[in-house]
Amino acid sequence: MSTDSPRLHPDIPEGAAVPRVPAWYVDRTAARERFGEAVDSFGPFLMRGDPPADELVAVLNDLRPAQANRMLQQALDEGIASVRRPPRAFVQFFRQIDEIPLWLDWDKLDRGGRAVLRTGPLGAVVLACYSLPLSYASPDGSKPLTASGRLVQRASRRLTETARFLVETCRPGGLRRGAEGFKITIRVRLMHAQVRRLLLQRKSWPYERWGLPVNQAYMAGTNVLFSSVLIEGLAKLGYEVPESERDDIVQLWRYGGLLSGVDSKICAATEAEGLRLIRLIHAVMDPPDDDSRALVKALMEAPLELAKNPAQRAVAQRLVDLLYGLSRHLVGEPLADALAYPRTPWRHVAPLIRGMNMAMTNVQRHVPESRDAMYRFGLEAWERVIENGLAGIPAAFDFRKATVGDGGPTHAP
């Protein structure tokens, strides 16, 4: 395997021999037959992190916590020009995120956000039962998440924080400079950089074998879970996003991906590109392992984590069975079996749900004014999920809370 010697991360010694691709990626013959040269183009992104964020986090960790927090908050609220004598890494990072791409259309982003929020509980189900299991199925991609058992035990909290991130991104103007969605996106990006830093510092992450933790390939794959994959999952359950809004959703998350640190060369620009990317990832990855199964089990069984008495536990168990059934329908039998899904009778309810959603789609298509009512209902549903899930404890998205114990990170992307 050929190597080169770029310094891919501040905690990888300069001049260290870094493989072009991880060891597991070398023999991908079957994937090449399907995707051709895209397989070779994709591989190196498994060894790439997010240099601007990695450099900024290195500087932030060298500053006093109060000073770092103050400078970061001021830069997020008022812009880098308002910060007195900022370090070079600060200037470079914020200059990058302040660059508005020529293709960005704020009206499209607002329409895309409304379209996502309009899906309400159904969108949350598709995210939990389709998008996230597709992500967790990747053995090496899930390693930063499962390196600490506490992550598996906090599945319901993680779902709630993901919902908060989604809702704030999708609000009108959510990704504009200084908006809450913008600030959360940047803070999550720095949390990812902190996880990379801590794992590499402990010398326990075999990047030659697994690739860089929280690398570009899986950052890009995670990004399309909220756009192309969400649209596809909704369609599988009978909810057809109007053609006029599909690209709006993609462009919203395309810009969110750039703010999150995804390289523009791999950040999906169309719905088709997003689906091709996720298909490529699943074509090149190894089958799910025990870590993947543990992570998906924690996700599906999150309702049991919240049950406080036998009656609540009985209701939660029925909900868990339903989630497993819907997820089996969405991800397909082979992947569901590989993830050790139980075979519950609830998998047969998907056609009924599909029929109901097709009827709802027809109403929205023929009664345009119903879209406003669905948007208000959907947003209220998302907000109730977040309020109940946070239970009065705010989601801080603080990069300093991304810590690594003996087993790995206690917070990861």
Side-chain angles (χ1 to χ4, degrees):
M1 177 169 49
S2 63
T3 64
D4 48 29
S5 300
R7 194 178 186 191
L8 297 182
H9 190 275
D11 292 294
I12 295 178
E14 190 168 2
V18 178
R20 184 173 180 274
V21 296
W24 66 267
Y25 198 80
V26 175
D27 184 16
R28 303 289 109 179
T29 304
R32 285 190 183 89
E33 292 176 357
R34 181 178 174 189
F35 290 95
E37 61 187 11
V39 173
D40 298 305
S41 300
F42 177 78
F45 286 101
L46 293 157
M47 300 301 301
R48 298 178 189 170
D50 179 4
D54 293 333
E55 295 289 347
L56 177 55
V57 161
V59 169
L60 287 169
N61 279 282
D62 286 339
L63 298 174
R64 297 189 305 276
Q67 181 187 15
N69 290 337
R70 184 179 67 254
M71 292 179 68
L72 178 59
Q73 189 63 51
Q74 184 173 345
L76 288 172
D77 290 340
E78 304 173 33
I80 191 62
S82 69
V83 179
R84 184 171 178 268
R85 299 174 64 182
R88 179 170 171 268
F90 257 92
V91 175
Q92 291 182 326
F93 180 85
F94 280 94
R95 279 182 179 170
Q96 182 202 53
I97 65 175
D98 282 339
E99 292 178 357
I100 303 297
L102 291 176
W103 52 260
L104 191 145
D105 180 337
W106 290 111
D107 290 337
K108 283 183 71 70
L109 267 59
D110 286 349
R111 292 195 300 269
R114 288 178 67 87
V116 172
L117 294 177
R118 195 182 297 130
T119 65
L122 181 64
V125 167
V126 171
L127 182 66
C129 294
Y130 190 44
S131 296
L132 293 180
L134 289 184
S135 174
Y136 296 165
S138 169
D140 55 311
S142 66
K143 286 295 181 289
L145 293 166
T146 54
S148 168
R150 279 178 282 180
L151 268 179
V152 173
Q153 296 161 11
R154 296 177 66 248
S156 61
R157 178 76 184 186
R158 285 183 46 75
L159 278 172
T160 304
E161 292 174 351
T162 300
R164 171 90 195 286
F165 163 69
L166 179 145
V167 168
E168 296 303 334
T169 294
C170 291
R171 290 187 194 276
L175 291 182
R176 283 185 179 270
R177 196 68 172 78
E180 196 63 23
F182 172 89
K183 290 189 281 191
I184 289 175
T185 298
I186 301 306
R187 288 189 176 278
V188 170
R189 179 177 178 179
L190 297 180
M191 291 173 70
H192 292 175
Q194 181 79 334
V195 168
R196 262 192 306 275
R197 174 178 182 269
L198 295 175
L199 282 172
L200 291 171
Q201 278 187 341
R202 292 189 65 88
K203 313 299 182 185
S204 59
W205 182 270
Y207 61 84
E208 303 92 342
R209 175 184 168 194
W210 289 341
L212 216 62
V214 201
N215 57 60
Q216 280 289 330
Y218 290 106
M219 287 166 59
T222 298
N223 182 251
V224 300
L225 299 178
F226 295 95
S227 57
S228 302
V229 174
L230 176 66
I231 293 169
E232 181 181 61
L234 289 166
K236 287 188 175 190
L237 290 180
Y239 184 101
E240 292 287 345
V241 176
E243 191 67 33
S244 61
E245 295 178 338
R246 298 165 83 95
D247 187 59
D248 296 337
I249 294 174
V250 171
Q251 299 312 314
L252 170 68
W253 291 103
R254 179 188 181 189
Y255 183 52
L258 295 180
L259 291 177
S260 298
V262 180
D263 190 309
S264 61
K265 293 188 291 295
I266 197 175
C267 191
T270 67
E271 182 181 352
E273 284 183 18
L275 292 178
R276 179 175 170 81
L277 175 63
I278 207 72
R279 304 280 193 268
L280 172 60
I281 291 173
H282 279 256
V284 300
M285 76 182 193
D286 288 330
D289 62 6
D290 287 343
D291 285 338
S292 299
R293 286 184 279 273
L295 199 58
V296 173
K297 177 180 172 67
L299 170 70
M300 291 292 133
E301 300 183 5
L304 293 172
E305 181 184 336
L306 302 175
K308 296 180 175 60
N309 55 54
Q312 291 181 3
R313 187 170 183 83
V315 172
Q317 185 60 61
R318 287 195 289 272
L319 178 57
V320 167
D321 291 342
L322 172 62
L323 293 176
Y324 270 125
L326 290 176
S327 190
R328 178 175 284 276
H329 170 78
L330 289 167
V331 306
E333 296 287 339
L335 184 56
D337 288 341
L339 291 170
Y341 281 19
R343 289 185 172 273
T344 74
W346 286 100
R347 68 186 185 275
H348 301 301
V349 80
L352 175 62
I353 293 177
R354 178 177 172 81
M356 294 170 58
N357 289 325
M358 290 176 68
M360 182 171 62
T361 298
N362 284 330
V363 169
Q364 291 191 51
R365 183 181 298 119
H366 294 104
V367 187
E369 56 268 26
S370 67
R371 294 186 182 185
D372 289 338
M374 289 300 298
Y375 168 72
R376 291 191 297 271
F377 169 77
L379 178 57
E380 290 173 3
W382 280 105
E383 289 179 333
R384 280 198 301 274
V385 168
I386 294 168
E387 182 180 359
N388 293 335
L390 292 180
I393 304 174
F397 301 103
D398 184 352
F399 80 95
R400 291 186 182 278
K401 293 185 178 179
T403 58
V404 173
D406 293 337
T410 59
H411 204 307

